Amino acid sequence: MSAIFYTLIPLVAVLVGAILSTARRPGAGFVSAMQHLAAGVVFAAAATEILPQIKHDASPAATLLGGIVGVAVMLLLKQLEGRAKGPVAMLGAVGIDILVDGLVLGLAFVAGEKAGILLTVALTLEVLFLGLTVTAELGETITSKLRVIATVFGLSLLLPLGAAIAMPVAVLPTPVIVGFLSFGLMALLYLVTEELLAEAHEQPDSPLISAMFFVGFLGLLVIEEVLP
């Protein structure tokens, strides 16, 4: 239940991002900086919480199988996003992406509440950026700002749905949990390397923008050490 409760935080972030984007479209530099920051936070959450739990439970076969499935699913999503044409197809691809984010967040809470809280911070930044960009894209085809905001917020409800799907994993045998966590780890690494950073580097970087990755990474490390 705690995982579903914590998804309210990124839900609010999506709504804020959508509202801000309808008021004023963010500049390319700001978007790139946000992507770097979110990538650093997500990478730190994966490295400090999910990976240690997988190593602690030590189930090589489950780790390998879950990792392979994770990579395959994310590459399949990439193919679907690449073929998406028009607003409906784009919304379908984004919806699947958000559902997977919710699933990974739920799996983080399976690893432990601290892991879940840290990943909540990470995904909040990621979906805030998503709210900004998706709203801007929809604004090109939908004239009603209220309809655009409602559409983006409706998509974000897939986040708690994904978290709810992950909850039954907690009662499964340890090797199965390890397999799911390995799946989640691959999904997070894909999010960092193939989505956030790849899209961020489509714009020319400045030292300040590049530094935002390390600000996010170190910031989450500090939070991780402060939390009990």
Side-chain angles (χ1 to χ4, degrees), residues 14-27 131-132 135-136 139 143-146 148-149:
V14 172
L15 186 59
V16 170
I19 293 173
L20 290 176
S21 186
T22 56
R24 182 178 181 181
R25 186 164 185 167
L132 287 167
T135 301
T143 56
S144 171
K145 293 183 179 180
L146 185 59
V148 170
I149 294 172

Side-chain angles (χ1 to χ4, degrees), residues 6-222:
Y6 276 105
T7 58
L8 295 177
I9 300 173
L11 280 180
V12 172
V14 172
L15 186 59
V16 170
I19 293 173
L20 290 176
S21 186
T22 56
R24 182 178 181 181
R25 186 164 185 167
F30 174 77
V31 171
S32 181
M34 283 291 298
Q35 287 169 321
H36 277 85
L37 180 67
V41 173
V42 172
F43 190 73
T48 60
E49 295 297 330
I50 307 299
L51 180 58
Q53 185 66 38
I54 294 173
K55 294 176 65 178
H56 177 268
D57 292 330
S59 181
T63 300
L64 179 62
L65 180 59
I68 290 174
V69 173
V71 172
V73 168
M74 299 312 293
L75 291 178
L76 177 60
L77 287 180
K78 183 177 182 179
Q79 289 294 318
L80 292 175
E81 290 174 358
R83 295 178 181 178
K85 303 295 182 183
V88 175
M90 183 269 292
L91 289 176
V94 171
I96 295 173
D97 197 11
I98 292 175
L99 184 67
V100 171
D101 283 349
L103 178 64
V104 173
L105 180 58
L107 292 174
F109 275 95
V110 171
E113 186 170 2
K114 185 177 181 180
I117 292 173
L118 290 175
L119 195 59
T120 298
V121 175
L123 290 182
T124 296
L125 288 173
E126 191 248 329
V127 297
L128 173 62
F129 155 74
L130 194 64
L132 287 167
T133 54
V134 173
T135 301
E137 291 185 31
L138 286 178
E140 297 177 357
T141 55
I142 302 176
T143 56
S144 171
K145 293 183 179 180
L146 185 59
R147 186 180 173 189
V148 170
I149 294 172
T151 301
V152 174
F153 185 70
L155 273 179
S156 69
L157 294 178
L158 291 170
L159 197 66
L161 176 61
I165 292 173
M167 286 297 93
V169 174
V171 300
L172 296 176
T174 299
V176 178
I177 294 176
V178 170
F180 274 99
L181 290 178
S182 181
F183 170 92
L185 179 64
M186 294 303 106
L188 289 175
L189 293 179
Y190 179 90
L191 173 64
V192 171
T193 58
E194 296 297 321
E195 290 191 2
L196 291 171
L197 289 180
E199 293 176 9
H201 289 152
E202 291 176 358
Q203 302 293 332
D205 282 349
S206 69
L208 180 59
I209 290 177
S210 297
M212 295 304 291
F213 174 87
F214 303 99
V215 170
F217 188 91
L218 290 172
L220 198 79
L221 285 184
V222 171

